[in-house]
Amino acid sequence: MIATNALQVRYGDTIAVHDLDLELAAGRIYGLLGRNGAGKTSLLSTLAGFRKPSAGTVTLDGRPVFETLESTSRICLIGDDGAVGDGTDRLRDILDMAATLRPGFDTGYAAHLMDRFALDRKKTLGALSRGQRSAFGVVAGLASRAALTMFDEAHLGMDAPTRQLFADELLADYGAHPRTFLLSTHLIEEQSPLFEQVLILHEGRLLWRGDVDDLRSRGIAVTGPASVVDDFVYGLTVLAERALGPTKQVTLYGDLDDEHRKLAARYGLELGPVALQDLFIHLTGGVP
Amino acid sequence: MTRFPIARYLLLNHTPFLAMCLGGLALFGAVALGVTAALTTVTLSVADIGGQILHWLAFGYGFSAAGVLSTMIVHGRTRREFITQHAVFQVITAGLLALLVTGVYAAEAGVYRLAGWERRLQEHHVFGAGDYPMIFVAYWSMLAIALMIGAFVGVAFLRGDAAILWALLAAVVLVLAAGGVNGFFSLGFNRLDLESLPLTAGLSVPLFVAGWAALWLAARDVAVRTKVPA
Amino acid sequence: MFDDRSPIYRQIADQIKDDVFRGLLAAGAQVMSTNQYAAYYRINPATAAKAFQQLVDEGVLYKRRGVGMFVHDGAQQRLREQRRERFFAQVLEPMAAEARELGIPVADVVARIHQLIPGDDR
């Protein structure tokens, strides 16, 4: 549905997104992962037409996005600042405005979400706490029912129960009105079950894309006596190493063939899974 | 889908707010007039003095167009729509406010006559104390052009860098030119002493269009950086 | 809800298999929809669908188009057989290997098993 071709986003001499070719299918929930400064916000802004591509193209169902009403009216991006109106605007006025501006906006559903998130319609946007503002962003984003709905760290400042509420409402509405979601997040372990696919952006490039379970199965932790472990991992992709006394743990990336598995069993090496978050940290350059 | 949603939203929400501000200002002027009358002799038109402030208020409000543009884009609208519909909103709102101001002048004239006060206007105006059509046209011209200048300067700030300097330069030129045409912000050297309504009205149009062109230059591909002031 | 290690779809499939095995989901019973599963576990519906697909492939569930997923008639029996096989391969064999490594006599092991499962002296 949305596609980029050799997309580049530049700020002066700084390149935020490098020649990105990306295509997202309709009706799926995608996760966008990446460290701070990886280019997530630049990418999302350009996909939404907030920013003109410095080079390359962004198209929605074949039509350009930037300055094309047929496209932008079907796209909704809620930024990480939750800015869906002026700080002095009351929430109910912002919702009325959204209903005027967005062809598919569902006022009744917005009202339902306002109640669920316990938001006071009479408050102004500027008077909300960080978590409430994020929640209001979720209300505006979900009620837009846009064919492509994107949230840049939708859960910023939300407490755990509110994040669960967000997941519940997202999944319920996704079930009732299937559409494409792209959610950026730093809460990898918590949010990843929501995604059908994740995209990992690193230094402006797409580092990895695929099934979350697939990614999970690519990490293997090998634990055992240091010298044995060193011999075992020779020639394999090592992401990280850690030693505790005579014991060493090495994180490997990629599938382990049967021969290696037998070898590990013979030498008494322990093979274990790696937490998604650790795998992500290792893939994106480790802990500084 | 509603047609002209941006203009519609602004006319239904911002215009009444601006009219209310004008009402508040008129009320404040009335109080000031009462206090003055109690202390000393009234010789000047209070509406005429208060009217000067509108120029600056219009700039200031126009500046907020950058925020409106960001919000419109967040809600799926385009810059192109904003550029045309914001201009339409400016013309209509400026006209409506000018009508109200003219009404204030007329009401004031009645009060002064009853009280027997002298009612002098500032001399650089293009209109006389009872020349209501010209009062209306001069205010309409001033408000519309000031809103437009505020708008393109505001959007230029969203753009940043050199755009701000260009916009400020354009703003100075336009303010001076408009001052000559409608008599507001008249510094002497830019005074044209127009006393013809068609001339003031007719010359205001290209100035407004010039401001519109500046708005287009600033807004046509500006990147939106949203931020809610806490 | 889930451990962060093994694929979620497999954990769901295992849970459903457990329910079928223990008779909580009887033969012919309808299983919750993918959307219901997704909502309940807060997961992507596609993940639930993947679990269901695995169970269809294994003959535990079958799909009735437009109606939903149902438990196969022979599913419980099939799972019991599967588990029996797994018991010898995954439980007994490592146990025997461990016993040999520790030098525990077979008779001790058998005696202990008799103790744990009394009344079965065949």
Side-chain angles (χ1 to χ4, degrees):
Chain A
M1 63 139 6
I2 189 131
T4 72
N5 193 295
L7 172 67
Q8 208 179 79
V9 183
R10 264 194 319 260
Y11 304 91
D13 295 335
T14 323
I15 301 182
V17 177
H18 290 269
D19 299 322
L20 183 71
D21 293 314
L22 183 70
E23 181 151 15
L24 301 185
R28 301 201 177 162
I29 306 179
Y30 293 92
L32 179 62
L33 309 180
R35 297 188 164 202
N36 292 328
K40 299 189 298 292
T41 301
S42 297
L43 173 62
L44 293 174
S45 303
T46 316
L47 292 181
F50 285 16
R51 180 173 285 285
K52 191 180 179 180
S54 308
T57 58
V58 178
T59 52
L60 183 75
D61 293 332
R63 259 192 296 249
V65 166
F66 188 77
E67 283 296 273
T68 310
L69 187 61
E70 290 79 5
S71 301
T72 56
S73 61
R74 296 175 58 219
I75 298 175
C76 179
L77 165 63
I78 304 297
D80 57 3
D81 52 8
V84 291
D86 192 80
T88 60
D89 290 339
R90 284 178 204 289
L91 302 191
R92 59 154 186 249
D93 295 336
I94 294 175
L95 292 177
D96 287 347
M97 174 180 68
T100 309
L101 297 174
R102 284 208 171 267
F105 195 84
D106 189 327
T107 310
Y109 178 50
H112 159 81
L113 291 172
M114 289 295 280
D115 291 341
R116 290 284 278 155
F117 285 102
L119 290 167
D120 183 353
R121 291 165 177 72
K122 291 192 291 285
K123 275 200 174 164
T124 63
L125 189 57
L128 300 183
S129 72
R130 192 53 264 235
Q132 288 174 323
R133 195 190 298 170
S134 292
F136 186 63
V138 166
V139 172
L142 287 180
S144 79
R145 293 261 164 82
L148 172 63
T149 305
M150 301 182 279
F151 289 105
D152 195 0
E153 293 193 60
H155 45 67
L156 217 65
M158 283 186 187
D159 56 14
T162 313
R163 290 202 300 275
Q164 287 197 342
L165 191 56
F166 167 51
D168 288 345
E169 291 299 335
L170 173 75
L171 288 171
D173 204 52
Y174 173 66
H177 302 269
R179 53 199 192 270
T180 306
F181 284 99
L182 178 57
L183 318 175
S184 90
T185 184
H186 286 299
L187 302 178
I188 299 170
E189 298 291 358
E190 184 186 291
Q191 301 275 309
S192 63
L194 300 174
F195 309 143
E196 187 165 344
Q197 265 198 0
V198 291
L199 315 167
I200 300 180
L201 210 60
H202 185 54
E203 293 174 349
R205 293 190 166 87
L206 191 62
L207 182 72
W208 196 85
R209 172 190 182 156
D211 212 287
V212 184
D213 282 340
D214 229 36
L215 180 61
R216 214 187 292 269
S217 69
R218 281 177 172 270
I220 299 163
V222 185
T223 316
S227 59
V228 184
V229 170
D230 283 340
D231 285 347
F232 178 79
V233 301
Y234 181 77
L236 301 175
T237 313
V238 173
L239 290 177
E241 310 190 350
R242 243 173 9 154
L244 184 67
T247 305
K248 188 168 187 179
Q249 186 178 68
V250 169
T251 306
L252 295 176
Y253 180 72
D255 289 325
L256 212 57
D257 54 29
D258 282 345
E259 207 170 312
H260 271 95
R261 286 186 184 277
K262 276 186 202 148
L263 222 57
R266 195 183 313 150
Y267 290 131
L269 295 177
E270 194 188 313
L271 296 181
V274 180
L276 208 51
Q277 168 112 339
D278 291 336
L279 202 54
F280 169 78
I281 291 173
H282 296 322
L283 279 174
T284 56
V287 179
Chain B
M1 203 195 313
T2 37
R3 278 166 64 82
F4 311 116
I6 299 175
R8 198 187 156 85
Y9 162 73
L10 290 169
L11 288 169
L12 288 177
N13 293 275
H14 288 211
T15 307
F17 169 76
L18 292 171
M20 257 164 54
C21 288
L22 185 69
L25 205 64
L27 215 62
F28 178 77
V31 172
L33 178 65
V35 173
T36 313
L39 298 174
T40 172
T41 339
V42 176
T43 57
L44 295 171
S45 159
V46 69
D48 201 47
I49 297 166
Q52 305 289 308
I53 304 169
L54 295 182
H55 202 187
W56 304 105
L57 291 181
F59 283 133
Y61 169 77
F63 196 84
S64 73
V68 176
L69 170 62
S70 299
T71 302
M72 295 304 128
I73 289 173
V74 166
H75 292 286
R77 311 311 303 195
T78 63
R79 293 157 187 78
R80 208 169 322 118
E81 284 181 293
F82 167 83
I83 294 166
T84 48
Q85 294 179 36
H86 202 275
V88 169
F89 152 75
Q90 288 171 23
V91 171
I92 295 176
T93 304
L96 194 78
L97 295 179
L99 207 62
L100 290 174
V101 171
T102 310
V104 171
Y105 270 83
E108 186 198 62
V111 172
Y112 274 54
R113 202 173 314 123
L114 283 177
W117 293 325
E118 189 187 356
R119 178 165 168 267
R120 266 190 295 138
L121 303 189
Q122 284 148 85
E123 57 167 43
H124 56 73
H125 279 322
V126 294
F127 47 78
D131 189 358
Y132 296 116
M134 195 62 167
I135 291 175
F136 170 68
V137 166
Y139 269 95
W140 192 0
S141 162
M142 179 274 279
L143 289 168
I145 293 170
L147 285 173
M148 184 55 96
I149 292 171
F152 77 67
V153 171
V155 175
F157 268 89
L158 198 62
R159 240 189 140 80
D161 300 335
I164 298 173
L165 290 178
W166 282 112
L168 289 175
L169 189 70
V172 169
V173 172
L174 265 183
V175 166
L176 292 176
V181 168
N182 58 34
F184 289 90
F185 204 80
S186 170
L187 293 179
F189 69 87
N190 67 334
R191 195 170 297 173
L192 298 176
D193 287 325
L194 297 179
E195 273 171 30
S196 137
L197 187 145
L199 218 51
T200 293
L203 286 174
S204 295
V205 174
L207 291 177
F208 184 78
V209 171
W212 197 358
L215 178 65
W216 178 78
L217 280 171
R220 78 207 138 90
D221 58 357
V222 67
V224 169
R225 277 164 298 176
T226 56
K227 195 152 281 169
V228 177
Chain C
M1 189 99 54
F2 298 103
D3 68 64
D4 56 5
R5 306 299 163 111
S6 69
I8 292 171
Y9 79 90
R10 207 173 295 157
Q11 297 182 47
I12 292 180
D14 288 347
Q15 268 172 33
I16 295 176
K17 278 201 248 182
D18 236 40
D19 288 349
V20 171
F21 175 72
R22 286 201 236 128
L24 294 175
L25 275 171
Q30 185 170 6
V31 182
M32 287 196 299
S33 73
T34 48
N35 277 343
Q36 284 171 312
Y37 258 95
Y40 185 81
Y41 291 114
R42 294 199 180 91
I43 55 165
N44 193 294
T47 309
K50 209 163 149 188
F52 285 9
Q53 191 51 51
Q54 187 195 323
L55 293 173
V56 168
D57 292 346
E58 291 181 21
V60 177
L61 301 181
Y62 67 96
K63 184 187 272 177
R64 270 167 59 189
R65 233 165 237 305
V67 188
M69 302 294 251
F70 296 85
V71 177
H72 236 295
D73 281 341
Q76 195 177 13
Q77 186 55 36
R78 199 167 303 126
L79 287 172
R80 190 187 301 279
E81 282 158 19
Q82 232 180 53
R83 282 204 173 191
R84 271 169 185 255
E85 277 168 37
R86 252 204 348 229
F87 171 75
F88 286 101
Q90 291 180 6
V91 181
L92 207 59
E93 277 174 32
M95 184 197 81
E98 182 87 4
R100 193 167 46 204
E101 213 173 299
L102 296 172
I104 301 173
V106 176
D108 287 8
V109 175
V110 173
R112 180 77 176 143
I113 291 174
H114 274 299
Q115 233 174 10
L116 288 170
I117 316 173
D120 190 349
D121 289 328
R122 275 175 295 162

